[in-house]
Amino acid sequence: MTSCVFGSISSGLISLVVFNLTNEDNSQRPAAWDQRHLSNISRCSAALSAGLMCSFSPLMWQYNTSAEVFALHNLFVTLIIYVMTIYSFQPNSTSIVALGSFLCGLALTNQHTSILLIVPVVIWVFCNSSLLAKPKLLLLSSISFVVGISLYALLPLLAINYPHAGSWGEVTTLSGFLHHLLRRDYGTLQLYSGDDAASEGMIARTCSWALDFVSHQLGPWSSLLLVPLLGFNSGVQIFGYTSKMSKTKMGKKQKRESHKAREKNDPSSSVWKIILFALVLYLGAFHSLSNLPLSNPLLYGIHQRFWMQPNILAIILIGMGMHKAIVATANTGHNKRVYALSSMVLLLPFASYYQNYSISDQSNNKYFQKYANSILETLPQNSLLLINYDQQWTSIRYAQECEGVRKDITSLNLSMMTFGWWDSKRSLYEGRVSFPGTHYTKGNTLPWLNGGFSFSEFIDANIDHFGSNIFVGGRLNFEDPAYNEKYDEEPYGLVRNIQSRDRKLGSVESYRSNSLQVWRTIAKHLSSDLPCEEKYPPSTWEWTIRREWFDHMVSRSTYLLSTALEENGQSTHNSTVLPSIVEAAGWLELANSWDTSLAQKSSMKKNLGLAYMNIVRSKEDSFPFVEDIFNGTGRVESAGRNHRHNWWTKESSHGDGNWKEWATLRWREEWETFLGLESSKTEPDYYQIKSIFDAVMKSSRAKPTY
């Protein structure tokens, strides 16, 4: 809700800024009342259009409806610009200078990129107000700035008096505070701490911003009209003024005096330059420092949200251009055109709204709440959950801390444990979790010798206390051969259960029934409401929930299949493993029909063929019933419905004498496709599968087509 409020105020301030900056001086405005009236209509329409344009931008809308820092950042940006605009009309106002200084300091406590707006604004005010010649004003503005940025002082105060598990960084020491302030964990003024060798350069990133701004934020049709207005505004301001100066022979002193007089009569002439300079500075500086690889769709989405600041600046300039274009029409004497153009300008944002409504409608977006509950509700009492996915960490932490869901579960962020400052956090988990060193690192390295611990050592220290109730979500930060020798990871819903290799193995039927119960809970929350790929592409966090669903669904199926085949190989009969093989095949078929990205994966074809081959080899007389925990829901295409009919109807489960023929047909289809895929040749068992397939086809006197 607060993000919505911040976003609404920000859009309103954009309208006020455009309205104020298009207020021409009386000496330049036509004396006739009707022309002043037309000018005011133009100003209002341009101002309202700019504000609505910002509101209906898909990127702005997304973060105005999310619990994120960016709506507040946008509010600070527009507040600074608005106060700068007021200052341009009242340059002698001490209170406005003090207010602007306070806002600049406050903005820096929320997001560092605001400095790319603050620097040009401060330089302009400093020069315009002659602060060096006004020590009292300089002192007042400095104090105001310090008061604003002093909000950072709350970090060590809260950390000392209200220490909280899950908080980031060590801010109770001066060195730790500066480390946190400068974001050294990620790299100061950078976004990515990973390998950025293949990351794009400044020009490529700027082109990506321009393409996104034109094609997605404004919309292609609106851009045809609006983007030229940005250039029109700049051209009128620069070349219009320059041509007037060139026509008049003036010395340098006269030109300076003429320039000052123009800025006094038309304050917007200097403000728009600051806005334009801030836009160019942001695009150049930020895109030179930002190092997120844009080739990764999810990282592109993360980078994209930092484009809201330049979008605001560009929309303000476009708003001014809209007004100047309409006024230019009024000066030609075509008054009716002014009304028509003003109406058209007001309608442009609604065209963008209509175009983006389907993807901007988030009224039913409860995916992360359901995702967190799908994990927390399935875990045993007093479990330890190790997390290395951002979306998993934030959603589960919110559910536990804000909604009080399953607070008996101890959740730890593996990536946070890799930093040296983690040593100061260990006491917050005293009595619950044991840490065999200062922080999590790779074994047999210098940090490990200096007191760190490997993942296997961490599990060793906690396995007695938690037993089999240790779970992990996401990949481990470092390779750990010792961990792989001692422990197995068993698929458990949307996470993995860490098990000692020395444990007594249960039957595959026991795993099937227990894991099925876990998935019943997950299906209750998510199966009928997975994020739609058309609305949530790979650049969104919601997409990761859909990806995780299918990854873990396939992971359970392949684990179930391999365990069943292993158990079957150690037994003289297979009556107890057929239900597991059949369920594994059914789930793989369902995942294959739901998620088109899996359809041509060689591993999917290989495992489906393997399952069907063992179904055909089975000596059972009846086909096991596969429970439909998904309740016939999900976005399944016609092929998926056919597979659902085969697996989840009692007629098929009781057997009609044809199920082995059907399984034989599916075995041939899947392995024939597998052998025809170029990617399959990298599979270690490709030639073994080819040999089996050729032998079977030869014995049946059928000619393979791969």
Side-chain angles (χ1 to χ4, degrees):
M1 179 62 76
T2 53
S3 292
C4 292
V5 173
F6 294 153
S8 300
I9 297 174
S10 178
S11 296
L13 288 170
I14 288 173
S15 292
L16 286 175
V17 168
V18 173
F19 186 78
N20 287 333
L21 291 180
T22 52
N23 183 21
E24 292 91 350
D25 182 71
N26 288 331
S27 61
Q28 297 179 353
R29 186 186 302 161
W33 177 88
D34 59 337
Q35 291 189 342
R36 293 201 304 269
H37 174 67
L38 292 174
S39 178
N40 287 333
I41 290 177
S42 172
R43 291 174 61 202
C44 290
S45 62
L48 288 173
S49 180
L52 292 172
M53 202 183 303
C54 191
S55 294
F56 297 153
S57 161
L59 189 61
M60 296 287 189
W61 190 284
Q62 177 184 351
Y63 286 98
N64 288 345
T65 56
S66 305
E68 263 283 10
V69 301
F70 294 94
L72 180 58
H73 170 68
N74 295 338
L75 177 60
F76 284 139
V77 167
T78 51
L79 276 170
I80 291 171
I81 296 172
Y82 176 72
V83 172
M84 177 182 69
T85 304
I86 299 301
Y87 167 80
S88 68
F89 290 96
Q90 303 176 38
N92 297 319
S93 175
T94 302
S95 59
I96 291 177
V97 174
L99 176 60
S101 300
F102 171 76
L103 288 172
C104 289
L106 198 60
L108 286 173
T109 65
N110 183 66
Q111 191 167 302
H112 286 179
T113 55
S114 57
I115 197 170
L116 298 176
L117 171 65
I118 291 171
V119 167
V121 170
V122 169
I123 292 174
W124 176 67
V125 172
F126 191 88
C127 297
N128 202 52
S129 297
S130 302
L131 287 180
L132 288 178
K134 301 175 182 178
K136 291 184 178 180
L137 183 58
L138 179 61
L139 178 62
L140 177 61
S141 60
S142 301
I143 293 173
S144 300
F145 178 82
V146 170
V147 170
I149 204 170
S150 66
L151 196 64
Y152 266 122
L154 288 176
L155 290 177
L157 291 176
L158 292 173
I160 293 171
N161 295 292
Y162 304 99
H164 200 74
S167 57
W168 186 281
E170 161 61 303
V171 294
T172 59
T173 65
L174 180 59
S175 60
F177 177 78
L178 291 175
H179 183 95
H180 183 82
L181 179 67
L182 297 175
R183 299 179 73 256
R184 287 175 179 162
D185 291 333
Y186 287 95
T188 303
L189 295 178
Q190 292 186 330
L191 300 178
Y192 190 54
S193 58
D195 183 11
D196 60 354
S199 187
E200 296 80 359
M202 186 268 289
I203 295 177
R205 292 176 184 276
T206 303
C207 290
S208 295
W209 165 80
L211 181 63
D212 176 77
F213 183 68
V214 170
S215 60
H216 295 108
Q217 306 312 318
L218 297 181
W221 294 110
S222 298
S223 298
L224 290 175
L225 297 172
L226 296 176
V227 173
L229 295 179
L230 194 155
F232 178 79
N233 174 44
S234 302
V236 168
Q237 293 285 358
I238 297 174
F239 298 110
Y241 174 64
T242 304
S243 62
K244 289 181 181 179
M245 294 282 288
S246 61
K247 290 178 182 179
T248 306
K249 294 183 179 180
M250 294 183 181
K252 292 183 178 180
K253 183 177 180 181
Q254 289 176 309
K255 287 183 178 181
R256 284 196 300 269
E257 291 176 353
S258 176
H259 177 73
K260 290 181 179 179
R262 182 175 182 268
E263 289 192 345
K264 183 178 179 180
N265 293 329
D266 183 11
S268 66
S269 63
S270 55
V271 174
W272 82 267
K273 292 177 185 176
I274 302 302
I275 295 174
L276 180 60
F277 179 77
L279 173 61
V280 174
L281 175 65
Y282 189 98
L283 295 176
F286 178 75
H287 287 156
S288 296
L289 296 168
S290 174
N291 57 337
L292 278 171
L294 301 187
S295 56
N296 182 306
L298 184 59
L299 297 182
Y300 176 91
I302 295 173
H303 180 98
Q304 185 186 34
R305 58 194 184 182
F306 290 91
W307 285 340
M308 285 184 280
Q309 182 170 325
N311 287 356
I312 288 172
L313 301 174
I315 286 173
I316 290 174
L317 293 174
I318 287 173
M320 295 176 66
M322 285 190 287
H323 168 69
K324 292 187 181 298
I326 297 172
V327 167
T329 302
N331 291 337
T332 63
H334 297 88
N335 294 350
K336 292 183 178 180
R337 291 185 184 178
V338 174
Y339 292 103
L341 287 174
S342 297
S343 301
M344 185 182 69
V345 160
L346 279 174
L347 290 175
L348 285 175
F350 292 97
S352 176
Y353 171 80
Y354 178 79
Q355 175 189 339
N356 299 304
Y357 177 79
S358 60
I359 62 173
S360 297
D361 180 13
Q362 302 294 320
S363 56
N364 296 317
N365 186 345
K366 296 182 180 179
Y367 298 116
F368 285 104
Q369 180 186 31
K370 295 177 179 180
Y371 171 69
N373 290 336
S374 295
I375 296 173
L376 293 173
E377 288 181 16
T378 61
L379 299 182
Q381 194 76 14
N382 299 314
S383 296
L384 174 62
L385 177 60
L386 307 171
I387 302 172
N388 216 13
Y389 283 147
D390 284 350
Q391 75 277 12
Q392 198 172 97
W393 171 250
T394 51
S395 58
I396 286 177
R397 182 163 162 76
Y398 179 86
Q400 288 186 304
E401 298 296 329
C402 300
E403 297 184 353
V405 177
R406 295 299 307 272
K407 299 198 74 170
D408 60 287
I409 296 172
T410 301
S411 55
L412 290 173
N413 188 305
L414 283 178
S415 292
M416 289 175 64
M417 289 169 58
T418 63
F419 294 106
W421 47 257
W422 181 257
D423 187 32
S424 66
K425 304 292 183 181
R426 295 189 300 162
S427 60
L428 299 175
Y429 300 92
E430 190 172 353
R432 292 182 291 165
V433 183
S434 298
F435 297 97
T438 55
H439 65 290
Y440 167 37
T441 188
K442 187 175 183 178
N444 299 316
T445 60
L446 186 59
W448 179 77
L449 290 172
N450 290 335
F453 57 86
S454 66
F455 190 73
S456 61
E457 291 171 335
F458 175 77
I459 300 300
D460 290 342
N462 290 278
I463 195 72
D464 290 338
H465 178 69
F466 288 98
S468 61
N469 293 339
I470 302 179
F471 302 86
V472 61
R475 298 178 180 178
L476 302 186
N477 297 77
F478 310 104
E479 293 183 3
D480 196 333
Y483 170 73
N484 296 330
E485 290 177 5
K486 296 180 183 178
Y487 300 99
D488 286 324
E489 292 182 353
E490 191 174 81
Y492 188 97
L494 299 180
V495 293
R496 307 186 303 280
N497 185 204
I498 296 176
Q499 300 274 4
S500 172
R501 284 182 176 264
D502 298 332
R503 74 190 187 282
K504 182 179 179 181
L505 296 176
S507 66
V508 68
E509 179 60 23
S510 174
Y511 172 77
R512 186 189 71 81
S513 59
N514 291 336
S515 62
L516 189 63
Q517 183 60 41
V518 171
W519 271 91
R520 285 192 187 100
T521 301
I522 299 171
K524 177 186 69 176
H525 288 294
L526 286 172
S527 68
S528 62
D529 194 27
L530 284 175
C532 174
E533 283 189 290
E534 290 75 19
K535 187 169 184 175
Y536 300 104
S539 59
T540 63
W541 286 108
E542 285 82 359
W543 178 87
T544 63
I545 297 177
R546 182 183 180 89
R547 182 72 270 142
E548 266 203 76
W549 164 281
F550 289 114
D551 286 347
H552 287 284
M553 189 178 178
V554 171
S555 178
R556 175 190 182 264
S557 304
T558 54
Y559 181 83
L560 192 62
L561 176 61
S562 62
T563 307
L565 296 181
E566 183 179 352
E567 184 175 310
N568 188 46
Q570 299 171 355
S571 176
T572 57
H573 57 86
N574 65 350
S575 59
T576 58
V577 302
L578 184 59
S580 295
I581 296 175
V582 169
E583 188 169 297
W587 278 41
L588 288 174
E589 288 280 24
L590 190 58
N592 192 44
S593 64
W594 268 358
D595 186 4
T596 55
S597 66
L598 295 172
Q600 293 301 315
K601 279 196 172 183
S602 58
S603 58
M604 173 65 77
K605 300 300 178 184
K606 178 183 72 174
N607 288 322
L608 274 171
L610 186 62
Y612 283 121
M613 182 177 70
N614 283 275
I615 290 173
V616 173
R617 287 177 175 178
S618 171
K619 297 179 181 180
E620 295 299 308
D621 297 326
S622 61
F623 193 71
F625 172 63
V626 179
E627 180 185 352
D628 182 9
I629 66 170
F630 307 109
N631 298 318
T633 57
R635 299 177 177 86
V636 186
E637 303 301 329
S638 57
R641 293 192 184 96
N642 291 335
H643 294 318
R644 179 177 293 283
H645 174 75
N646 289 331
W647 291 107
W648 282 279
T649 60
K650 292 185 178 180
E651 290 78 9
S652 297
S653 66
H654 292 159
D656 57 4
N658 294 324
W659 59 277
K660 284 203 173 185
E661 292 182 14
W662 168 65
T664 302
L665 177 63
R666 292 292 298 122
W667 163 80
R668 175 179 174 175
E669 290 174 346
E670 294 303 320
W671 270 15
E672 197 166 46
T673 303
F674 170 80
L675 293 171
L677 292 173
E678 190 66 28
S679 59
S680 299
K681 295 180 180 179
T682 60
E683 295 278 350
D685 43 10
Y686 171 81
Y687 291 102
Q688 182 182 0
I689 292 174
K690 185 178 185 299
S691 176
I692 295 172
F693 185 82
D694 287 343
V696 173
M697 298 306 293
K698 183 178 181 180
S699 65
S700 63
R701 297 181 180 179
K703 185 179 180 180
T705 59
Y706 62 86

